[in-house]
Amino acid sequence: MTGAETIELGVLRVLTLDDQADVALHGRIIEQHFPHASTRSRCIPNHPDGIPSAEAEVDALPYVLELGTDMGAQVDALAISCALDPGVSTLDQRLDIPVVGAGASVAGSALARGRNVGTLGLEGGTPSVIRNILGDQLQATETVEGAETTNYLTTREGRAAIDEAITRLVEAGCDVVAPSCTGLTTSGVLADIQRRAGVPIIDPVVAMGAIAAAAVRPGEETTDRTSTRHEHP
Amino acid sequence: MTGAETIELGVLRVLTLDDQADVALHGRIIEQHFPHASTRSRCIPNHPDGIPSAEAEVDALPYVLELGTDMGAQVDALAISCALDPGVSTLDQRLDIPVVGAGASVAGSALARGRNVGTLGLEGGTPSVIRNILGDQLQATETVEGAETTNYLTTREGRAAIDEAITRLVEAGCDVVAPSCTGLTTSGVLADIQRRAGVPIIDPVVAMGAIAAAAVRPGEETTDRTSTRHEHP
């Protein structure tokens, strides 16, 4: 805890980045939305492509657990900035601070805003943590076609592909969109998409910041030092 | 919008209260958790007992819609501080700002923190908005026995009744608790319960503040001026 009016949030990136400004990008976005939050960001080593597959998740998990355990000693809450929520359950049991993931946060926040949720991904499939939370309120799933890299999302073609995907979700009856990859936050396109869309577009990183901030009250010791998401409660 | 670093949230109370400090209580709690939020609180007339029944909800709804429409013109987002979410769907379609309710917010936030949710109410039954969002992730429901008024919750008997209810929820396999009535926030007991409980206890008013704050970014025009929770999208 840093002081009466601020909270410290750890932001763990599962993408290995060399530039500390790149590592800190999601934390900066959380600070912009929640100015009382001070974020500390770190990334796992050896994963320059992030976690693009189930195999990569298995490989990355020990790094996430080690880094998360280290970061957890210094913050009021820890946020794992990946929609797969790798390591969230284990870290939440292991640490005495709240641990949240972008996947559960975007899914839960979408359910707080609409009843028929559409997911929007960059690669095939919606992460299981998001599918499990949405249940039969997962109305439709779309993928941004051609989005091999997040840079593509800011091109004219990428922008058109996103708009087409959102249109398909709305036509399928979705009244809220849950981006199922934090790469959509990284690309910086979500605010722009929101201006064009007729339904709320939840930012997974902002949602994660909101859920983490709600679990910690500024100006007092964290009271919510509990373990959650038990596999076997 | 009040300035570069703040957001304006309207907090609509469905309980008629004479003292403006009482009316503003939920807003103050949101401001304590999210210091960049400035809240404006008002209550509907003619409902000194709040909305204790379905009949009372039908009677209160026109007042909620009228007051909400009036408040919506002056804020960045509107929060209906009742776990029944009365009028939220209609106001969210009618207004050009995000409209959120305590019911959907506590349910969605609970799903972001745990996978087996227990609801804790003051009267029989869990509101349908919460049941619908939780689906088969609603693990168990408990009611605080003897809680005719929120004052009871702060007595020794009330405190024991709450602890017993939480214990039953945990024994039923719940790994997070979603209080299904904002009266539990009003009573001020949630932080104290959190210290004793082994699982996260979500504060419905704080959750509502988090969801509302995530929908508005400080320092720029609200971009999320969309209609949500359509009955027929």
Side-chain angles (χ1 to χ4, degrees):
Chain A
M1 188 63 70
T2 54
E5 290 293 318
T6 62
I7 60 174
E8 284 276 4
L9 299 184
V11 180
L12 189 155
R13 303 290 304 275
V14 303
L15 179 68
T16 305
L17 294 161
D18 293 328
D19 184 340
Q20 183 54 32
D22 291 338
V23 175
L25 176 65
H26 291 180
R28 291 287 100 78
I29 290 167
I30 292 172
E31 290 173 352
Q32 285 165 5
H33 276 82
F34 303 102
H36 72 300
S38 172
T39 64
R40 302 182 186 197
S41 299
R42 292 172 67 185
C43 66
I44 63 170
N46 300 342
H47 286 77
D49 297 323
I51 303 183
S53 67
E55 293 73 30
E57 188 176 358
V58 170
D59 184 70
L61 200 54
Y63 295 98
V64 173
L65 297 181
E66 184 179 354
L67 179 57
T69 302
D70 192 34
M71 294 178 75
Q74 304 159 7
V75 292
D76 298 311
L78 179 64
I80 310 298
S81 205
C82 171
L84 296 169
D85 288 8
V88 170
S89 296
T90 303
L91 287 167
D92 204 16
Q93 289 182 274
R94 183 182 292 181
L95 302 177
D96 62 356
I97 54 167
V99 179
V100 303
S105 295
V106 75
S109 296
L111 290 173
R113 299 289 311 280
R115 67 180 58 188
N116 302 309
V117 182
T119 59
L120 179 67
L122 297 184
E123 310 186 31
T126 302
S128 62
V129 63
I130 294 178
R131 282 202 316 274
N132 290 341
I133 289 173
L134 296 179
D136 59 13
Q137 292 163 99
L138 172 55
Q139 180 81 4
T141 293
E142 285 288 342
T143 302
V144 182
E145 285 166 24
E148 308 271 305
T149 71
T150 56
N151 289 339
Y152 172 78
L153 300 172
T154 58
T155 65
R156 193 171 69 174
E157 292 77 11
R159 185 174 157 136
I162 292 168
D163 285 351
E164 287 159 13
I166 302 265
T167 298
R168 289 193 297 268
L169 290 174
V170 171
E171 285 174 354
C174 300
D175 58 2
V176 62
V177 173
S180 58
C181 175
T182 58
L184 280 152
T185 300
T186 305
S187 71
V189 299
L190 289 178
D192 195 36
I193 296 172
Q194 180 63 87
R195 275 185 280 273
R196 299 194 299 278
V199 298
I201 313 291
I202 308 296
D203 186 310
V205 171
V206 174
M208 180 177 68
I211 296 295
V216 181
R217 179 169 159 163
E220 65 178 25
E221 280 297 301
T222 302
T223 55
D224 186 9
R225 296 194 178 273
T226 54
S227 219
T228 64
R229 305 193 74 74
H230 302 145
E231 294 296 331
H232 306 287
Chain B
M1 190 62 71
T2 55
E5 290 295 316
T6 62
I7 59 174
E8 284 275 3
L9 299 183
V11 179
L12 189 155
R13 303 291 303 275
V14 303
L15 180 66
T16 305
L17 295 160
D18 291 329
D19 184 340
Q20 183 55 31
D22 291 337
V23 175
L25 177 66
H26 291 180
R28 291 287 98 80
I29 290 168
I30 292 172
E31 291 173 354
Q32 284 164 5
H33 276 82
F34 303 102
H36 72 298
S38 172
T39 63
R40 302 183 186 195
S41 298
R42 292 171 68 185
C43 67
I44 62 169
N46 301 342
H47 286 77
D49 298 321
I51 303 184
S53 65
E55 295 71 32
E57 187 175 357
V58 170
D59 183 69
L61 200 55
Y63 294 97
V64 173
L65 297 180
E66 183 180 354
L67 178 57
T69 302
D70 192 33
M71 293 177 75
Q74 303 159 8
V75 292
D76 297 311
L78 179 64
I80 310 298
S81 204
C82 171
L84 296 168
D85 288 8
V88 170
S89 297
T90 303
L91 286 167
D92 205 15
Q93 288 182 276
R94 184 183 292 181
L95 301 178
D96 62 358
I97 54 168
V99 179
V100 303
S105 295
V106 76
S109 295
L111 290 173
R113 298 290 310 281
R115 67 181 58 188
N116 302 308
V117 182
T119 59
L120 179 66
L122 297 185
E123 310 185 32
T126 302
S128 62
V129 63
I130 294 178
R131 282 202 316 273
N132 290 341
I133 287 173
L134 296 179
D136 57 14
Q137 292 163 100
L138 173 55
Q139 180 82 1
T141 294
E142 285 288 343
T143 302
V144 182
E145 285 166 24
E148 308 270 304
T149 70
T150 56
N151 288 339
Y152 172 78
L153 300 173
T154 58
T155 65
R156 193 171 67 174
E157 293 77 12
R159 185 175 157 137
I162 292 169
D163 285 350
E164 287 159 15
I166 303 265
T167 298
R168 289 193 297 268
L169 290 174
V170 171
E171 285 173 355
C174 300
D175 58 1
V176 61
V177 173
S180 58
C181 175
T182 59
L184 279 152
T185 299
T186 305
S187 71
V189 298
L190 290 178
D192 196 35
I193 296 174
Q194 180 65 86
R195 276 184 281 271
R196 299 193 301 277
V199 298
I201 313 291
I202 309 295
D203 186 311
V205 171
V206 174
M208 179 177 69
I211 297 294
V216 181
R217 178 168 159 165
E220 65 178 24
E221 280 297 302
T222 303
T223 54
D224 185 10
R225 297 192 177 276
T226 54
S227 217
T228 63
R229 304 193 74 76
H230 301 147
E231 294 295 332
H232 306 288

